[in-house]
Amino acid sequence: MASDTGASYGSTLRYKSVERIKAVGKHSLIGASGEFSDFQEILRYLDELTLSDHMWDDGNSLGPKEIHSYLTRVMYNRRNKFDPLWNSLVLGGVKKGPKGEEKYLGMVSMIGTHFEENHIATGFGNHLAIPILRAEWREDMTFEEAVKLVEKCLLVLLYRDRSSINKFQIAKITTEGATIYPPYSLKTYWGFSHFENPAQGAVGSW
Amino acid sequence: MFRNQYDTDVTTFSPHGRIFQMEYAMEAVKQGAATVGLCSCTHAVLVASNKPASELSSFQRKVFRVADHVGVAFSGLTADGRVLTKFLRNECINHAFVYEAQLPVSRLALRLADKAQVCTQRSWKRPYGVGLLVAGLDETGPHLYYNCPSGNYFEYQAFAIGSRSQAAKTFLERKFEGFNKYTPEQLIKDALSAIKETLQGEKLTSSNCTVAIVGRIEDGTAEPFQVVDTKRIQAIIDSMEAAEEAPAEPSSMQEEDKGSDAAPMDI
């Protein structure tokens, strides 16, 4: 999972070192876009949930599917009360089931729409990143290949989404656990000839 | 157990720290028809002996499916058992609705135990007069729990409750160490043998017992909780009897010896 580390306040890019992807329990990652304070509230709910699950200490633990379902219920119920949590949530995880390792990736929207897919994106990612992922995703990618693909998407979003910033975080979840890598930037290229003297060929009244 | 001045309601302790109403509730369990449960490391089996109220009536149903992965069998006031089964089904459904996953058996047993405990601490309630054997499968494997009217619950490898259950327990105590390696078929056989001990000479047939099984087969697929078909049970009973009769003479001598050495059966 990857996201940038920016949080805006209207059109102001107010916070630039925000972690938008967090580990949940032993088996999942949650990433969010939208209202950051609502995301913090959701993290609090998940904390309570995973804590009581952990306290059982009975060998059972909540997997990504259970957490996805739970969040769907929360989001949908809030929507029905006309008081939504204004987020798009991405839930990913890996859990060992009786038939082997089961990978899971899904999303929940602020109105409770939820589904499971091999590639998920929020906001502008739906329009810019998903087509790239649909064309180039394969079931048997290595972690390095996946990072490269995700960076390709992030770069497009950086160029074209004005609310994105050039500081990203990648997060990985496997049966061994979750890793959230430190933030880093991507190299961008702005040396196009048209940017040098943008008004050169412009048709204008003065 | 004799009547005394501390047994009027469940909110009174005796000077020795006992709550008699609770113990009387557990007596109700002992009066019910026998029920046996066994666990291996892949399957859990429940067997209930069916006692009709009279020759004209059908027998009381005591084995119920609670969810695909869990079922119960009970002894005692079966009406209380039915109501608790409805509660258990509700808990499983609610959990499945929110989490789209099966409620782990230990957590279900706890909720049942907490509900039973409430009835031991309210002056306007009475304890549930039924003991439940909860058998189910979750991601940590098959489990068998016994829930008491007192609100206590324990996990068991094998257990028997109800009238003449001590005979079944004695049988199970001899054999339980090998249960983990049993196939589902062997588990059903031993469960039937255990129930047979409680029948005290009456013949075991597929019409006077109900068998249910839940578990996971080798490739990881779960077999949902279901009552085993009477034809299959009769076939298993027949094969058990054939195995007993086969070594005819030596076994009849052995049985006589066993008769004098065996512990007296508790009634």
Side-chain angles (χ1 to χ4, degrees):
Chain A
M1 230 186 260
S3 73
D4 77 356
T5 63
S8 307
Y9 184 60
S11 53
T12 304
L13 227 166
R14 190 160 177 192
Y15 305 105
K16 297 197 208 162
S17 289
V18 158
E19 212 176 278
R20 295 200 286 124
I21 305 179
K22 296 279 187 186
V24 179
K26 288 188 283 241
H27 310 281
S28 322
L29 287 173
I30 182 170
S33 73
E35 173 57 51
F36 196 67
S37 62
D38 283 351
F39 179 49
Q40 290 171 326
E41 189 71 356
I42 288 169
L43 288 176
R44 227 173 39 80
Y45 290 156
L46 289 176
D47 245 351
E48 277 177 30
L49 190 70
T50 49
L51 188 70
S52 48
D53 187 52
H54 177 69
M55 297 297 263
W56 271 100
D57 200 22
D58 62 352
N60 293 299
S61 54
L62 290 168
K65 189 175 173 50
E66 282 99 320
I67 297 185
H68 186 214
S69 228
Y70 170 77
L71 287 171
T72 306
R73 292 291 119 231
V74 168
M75 301 299 265
Y76 184 65
N77 276 301
R78 290 289 296 256
R79 167 261 185 128
N80 283 341
K81 293 197 276 196
F82 273 87
D83 180 21
L85 290 162
W86 208 285
N87 292 111
S88 276
L89 304 168
V90 180
L91 218 300
V94 191
K95 190 167 178 214
K96 259 211 181 86
K99 294 198 180 168
E101 247 176 49
E102 284 161 22
K103 295 177 290 223
Y104 190 86
L105 181 65
M107 89 143 230
V108 192
S109 75
M110 65 186 262
I111 57 172
T113 310
H114 64 285
F115 55 87
E116 206 192 318
E117 247 294 5
N118 288 314
H119 13 77
I120 303 273
T122 63
F124 262 100
N126 279 306
H127 303 104
L128 301 175
I130 293 280
I132 301 177
L133 293 171
R134 283 183 183 161
E136 302 188 20
W137 176 86
R138 284 175 356 260
E139 175 103 44
D140 55 351
M141 293 175 92
T142 65
F143 176 60
E144 288 74 31
E145 288 172 336
V147 170
K148 275 220 167 48
L149 182 56
V150 144
E151 280 179 353
K152 187 171 180 182
C153 299
L154 291 174
L155 199 56
V156 171
L157 285 163
L158 177 60
Y159 281 131
R160 295 294 175 177
D161 181 4
R162 66 127 179 176
S163 58
S164 60
I165 60 171
N166 194 0
K167 192 172 169 197
F168 304 101
Q169 270 192 306
I170 304 263
K172 174 173 85 160
I173 178 106
T174 62
T175 39
E176 279 94 58
T179 325
I180 299 180
Y181 293 93
Y184 68 103
S185 298
L186 292 174
K187 266 180 73 174
T188 55
Y189 179 69
W190 298 97
F192 296 102
S193 55
H194 269 71
F195 293 164
E196 266 153 46
N197 196 0
Q200 192 176 50
V203 174
S205 58
W206 61 85
Chain B
M1 219 177 279
F2 301 111
R3 280 229 66 199
N4 52 68
Q5 48 179 197
Y6 308 108
D7 68 354
T8 309
D9 56 43
V10 78
T11 50
T12 307
F13 274 100
S14 82
H16 290 282
R18 295 161 69 175
I19 300 180
F20 283 103
Q21 276 298 312
M22 222 162 74
E23 298 187 17
Y24 295 166
M26 302 211 267
E27 270 302 305
V29 177
K30 292 184 201 163
Q31 301 299 329
T35 310
V36 171
L38 291 77
C39 238
S40 72
C41 55
T42 55
H43 285 77
V45 168
L46 291 172
V47 183
S49 91
N50 300 330
K51 250 203 208 124
S54 79
E55 273 189 26
L56 298 169
S57 75
S58 68
F59 61 86
Q60 179 69 265
R61 205 178 142 199
K62 297 155 29 121
V63 182
F64 288 90
R65 179 160 66 155
V66 163
D68 272 347
H69 67 296
V70 164
V72 293
F74 40 81
S75 282
L77 268 52
T78 43
D80 284 2
R82 250 191 0 255
V83 154
L84 287 177
T85 307
K86 201 180 337 178
F87 167 75
L88 292 172
R89 284 174 175 165
N90 214 38
E91 293 295 295
C92 286
I93 284 177
N94 285 339
H95 184 97
F97 174 67
V98 176
Y99 299 100
E100 267 184 69
Q102 295 173 332
L103 180 58
V105 191
S106 60
R107 304 184 190 195
L108 180 65
L110 180 91
R111 291 183 200 197
L112 182 60
D114 282 350
K115 190 172 165 70
Q117 192 278 342
V118 167
C119 298
T120 66
Q121 215 177 4
R122 306 279 184 272
S123 61
W124 61 90
K125 285 183 181 261
R126 65 158 178 85
Y128 288 106
V130 65
L132 290 100
L133 285 172
V134 182
L137 175 76
D138 58 32
E139 64 184 40
T140 50
H143 299 275
L144 175 69
Y145 286 91
Y146 170 53
N147 280 71
C148 227
S150 61
N152 276 328
Y153 73 109
F154 300 98
E155 190 171 357
Y156 286 93
Q157 181 81 51
F159 201 53
I161 56 176
S163 68
R164 292 193 282 271
S165 60
Q166 188 52 51
K169 270 188 243 182
T170 316
F171 170 82
L172 294 169
E173 275 167 22
R174 267 193 355 244
K175 308 204 86 191
F176 78 96
E177 263 150 7
F179 283 171
N180 267 331
K181 300 211 181 72
Y182 272 21
T183 64
E185 192 86 1
Q186 285 172 304
L187 212 58
I188 295 177
K189 275 205 177 118
D190 268 17
L192 287 168
S193 302
I195 271 284
K196 198 167 159 197
E197 302 285 319
T198 70
L199 291 174
Q200 289 257 300
E202 203 184 307
K203 195 166 153 61
L204 178 70
T205 68
S206 59
S207 58
N208 59 12
C209 67
T210 310
V211 181
I213 187 164
V214 63
R216 197 185 296 283
I217 54 180
E218 273 156 35
D219 66 357
T221 338
E223 287 185 328
F225 184 92
Q226 56 191 359
V227 173
V228 181
D229 179 59
T230 39
K231 282 211 193 80
R232 186 167 160 220
I233 294 299
Q234 193 56 53
I236 295 176
I237 293 176
D238 292 340
S239 76
M240 276 164 60
E241 283 169 2
E244 269 178 35
E245 285 163 23
E249 280 175 28
S251 77
S252 59
M253 294 231 310
Q254 281 172 22
E255 274 173 39
E256 281 172 8
D257 288 344
K258 269 189 201 155
S260 52
D261 291 338
M265 285 194 188
D266 209 14
I267 294 179

